[in-house]
Amino acid sequence: MSGTVEAAIAARGLTLPEVVPPIAAYQPAVRSGAYVFTAGQLPMVDGKLPLTGKVGAEVTAEEAKELAATCALNALAAVKSVTGDLDRVARVVKVVGYVASAADFTGQSGVINGASELLGEVLGDKGVHARSAVGVAVLPLDAPVEVEIQVELAEG
């Protein structure tokens, strides 16, 4: 049934956004065989970052977790831009999350749970994935988080 993933997104009161335009020389997503690799997705909403700064300083861990979910939603939009239909996703293979962290912040895993939980909620078992959560000094545009995903597509 086409549209089930987007229906699951809508059931959570969310809307799949338009693909965030690149801010440099790259594509938001690239398909290679049965896989789609997204570029790192910032938590852009209507072309803007809702918050900027370091997690554990200017941004709380809970705020950053919500931003990570926004990044995952933007990543799904990037996947749809090259597949035409999110129901073609057989599984999320890998999630990599980057957290711009204050020097003493060590809760990167909890922050990136925002992305992992959203993917699980809208994709069910297909959203279960391997993951890395990495603390970094700074991200583009002073974003608090950035998330990239790799998905495998169903045949057909």
Side-chain angles (χ1 to χ4, degrees), residues 78-105:
V79 169
K80 183 181 177 186
S81 76
V82 296
T83 64
D85 185 357
L86 288 176
D87 290 344
R88 295 197 57 214
V89 173
R91 77 168 302 139
V92 177
V93 177
K94 177 86 185 249
V95 171
V96 180
Y98 303 94
V99 180
S101 302
D104 61 347
F105 183 75

Side-chain angles (χ1 to χ4, degrees), residues 112-141:
I112 302 306
N113 277 348
S116 295
E117 290 168 4
L118 177 103
L119 293 168
E121 289 170 6
V122 301
L123 291 163
D125 289 343
K126 296 175 184 181
V128 177
H129 52 268
R131 187 183 86 182
S132 298
V134 182
V136 297
V138 68
L139 289 168
L141 305 178

Side-chain angles (χ1 to χ4, degrees), residues 23-47:
I23 60 171
Y26 63 88
Q27 294 296 311
V30 174
R31 181 174 174 182
S32 181
Y35 295 90
V36 176
F37 301 83
T38 72
Q41 299 293 311
L42 299 179
M44 297 289 219
V45 176
D46 296 326

Side-chain angles (χ1 to χ4, degrees), residues 1 4 16 18 21-23 28 34 40 59 64 67 74 76-77 82 92 100 110 115 132 135 138 143 147 153:
M1 175 178 170
T4 57
L16 191 70
E18 293 295 318
I23 60 171
V59 179
L67 294 173
N74 288 341
L76 289 174
V82 296
V92 177
S132 298
V138 68
V147 172
L153 302 177

